[in-house]
Every structure is written in structure tokens, then in C-alpha cells.
Amino acid sequence: MPLLICPNCQTGMNEIQRNGVHIDVCPKCRGVWLDGGEMEKLLGQVRQYEQEYEAEIERYRQQYAPPPTHHRNPYDTDDDEYYKRHGKKKSKLGRLFDLFD
């Protein structure tokens, strides 16, 4: 006989164990019921996995980090900076209209 009745569909809930936490699940509507402290246990496990994942990413970055780049001239590839320094090249028609300025 089930310990809990699903508040949604009034069906007896089954108790299962996942990662050391007892969870009550409704077989009909798939609803989940967590007793006191079970959510904190699950969240603690998630935090632990996140910390391990971040540590692994940091180890990977340290191992495969690109070498530091030396001075890079930003004007080499940036056309906007070139036009700021030299001005955009005008066409012959544009030069003609400069006569009226």
C-alpha cells in the first residue's frame, strides 16, 4: 500500500531511490513529491557536479591555453581606424562636388 496519494490524480505514488535520495513518483501523471531535505540533498549534489565541472574546465584552459600574444597593431585589420586616420577615398564625382564647398 503506497504511503502517499498523488494530489493531482489521486493515485498511489511509488517510492524510488535516485543518488541516495528517496523520491515519490506518481505512475499515472509522473508527478514528483520530495520530502523535507530531499531537495537540498539534490541541489547539493548538483553544486558538487558544477564545481567539479568548473575545475575540469579550468585545468583544460591552463593546459591548452594559447600562448600570449605580443603587441598587435589594431590598424592592420580594422578598416574603420584606417578611414579615421586617412579619410575615405573619394570618387572623381565626389571631388567635383568639393569645388562647391
Side-chain angles (χ1 to χ4, degrees):
M1 181 166 154
L3 295 174
L4 290 176
I5 303 295
C6 177
N8 190 28
C9 62
Q10 304 303 317
T11 305
M13 298 179 82
N14 297 333
E15 185 176 307
I16 60 172
Q17 183 175 355
R18 295 280 190 246
N19 298 329
V21 179
H22 295 281
I23 302 172
D24 296 305
V25 179
C26 177
K28 186 175 178 184
C29 71
R30 305 300 293 166
V32 177
W33 182 269
L34 298 173
D35 294 332
E38 291 176 346
M39 178 66 86
E40 287 80 17
K41 288 180 187 177
L42 291 173
L43 289 176
Q45 291 174 3
V46 169
R47 287 185 197 104
Q48 179 185 356
Y49 292 140
E50 285 178 345
Q51 289 173 355
E52 291 171 2
Y53 177 74
E54 292 296 327
E56 184 177 343
I57 287 176
E58 188 60 33
R59 283 192 305 271
Y60 178 82
R61 285 182 183 154
Q62 289 175 357
Q63 183 178 2
Y64 297 106
T69 59
H70 298 293
H71 177 69
R72 180 183 159 273
N73 187 352
Y75 301 114
D76 288 344
T77 59
D78 193 1
D79 291 338
D80 293 336
E81 292 295 327
Y82 177 82
Y83 292 138
K84 285 180 186 175
R85 288 186 294 144
H86 299 288
K88 192 168 183 176
K89 188 175 180 180
K90 294 184 179 181
S91 67
K92 291 180 183 177
L93 187 59
R95 287 189 207 145
L96 178 64
F97 286 115
D98 283 343
L99 294 175
F100 301 110
D101 286 337

